[in-house]
Amino acid sequence: MTTDIYTIDGADTVTKVLNDLRLMTSDAETIYYLYVTDHNKRLLGVVSLRQLIVASAEQLILDLMSSKLIAASPDTPRTEIVEIIKRYGLLAVPVVTPDNVLMGIVTFDDVV
């Protein structure tokens, strides 16, 4: 699992998030998925980079994000994470605490 992830605010617009990504100095593991969190780092949703690129500039992230999340817990076995990635065709799976606090992500290449 990597904790080097990029999270965004649901109240931001697509333009703001794209501009922030351009200025980002972090070496985040992946930006294919951007995780929407609240001020307590609880995972609210996810937006793909593709969704951002094709969305209208002033669209709010809250209106764009998917809140139907597929996530793992810190103690989810590696084999189960592999199955989640295969079943849903994901590039990364968020890892959350029982309170839904985002701890990090497991990427496809981490488990292959």
Side-chain angles (χ1 to χ4, degrees):
M1 176 181 83
T2 181
T3 57
D4 190 13
I5 52 177
Y6 185 69
T7 60
I8 58 177
D9 188 313
D12 287 342
T13 64
V14 167
T15 297
K16 180 180 182 326
V17 171
L18 288 173
N19 286 336
D20 289 350
L21 282 172
R22 287 183 189 101
L23 299 173
M24 187 172 73
T25 58
S26 170
D27 290 6
E29 175 83 15
T30 181
I31 60 167
Y32 297 120
Y33 301 129
L34 303 171
Y35 298 97
V36 183
T37 57
D38 66 12
H39 63 280
N40 291 318
K41 300 294 183 193
R42 282 191 299 264
L43 184 59
L44 302 175
V46 63
V47 176
S48 72
L49 186 57
R50 181 187 185 286
Q51 286 176 290
L52 283 177
I53 292 169
V54 299
S56 67
E58 295 309 311
Q59 188 169 6
L60 294 178
I61 296 301
L62 281 174
D63 296 332
L64 186 62
M65 75 178 193
S66 173
S67 58
K68 293 181 182 178
L69 298 166
I70 299 162
S73 68
D75 58 346
T76 301
R78 175 183 227 133
T79 55
E80 191 173 324
I81 293 175
V82 170
E83 287 304 313
I84 290 169
I85 287 173
K86 285 177 15 182
R87 183 179 315 128
Y88 298 102
L90 300 173
L91 298 173
V93 176
V95 177
V96 297
T97 68
D99 295 331
N100 216 38
V101 173
L102 182 62
M103 296 179 63
I105 59 170
V106 177
T107 60
F108 172 79
D109 60 328
D110 288 341
V111 294
V112 170

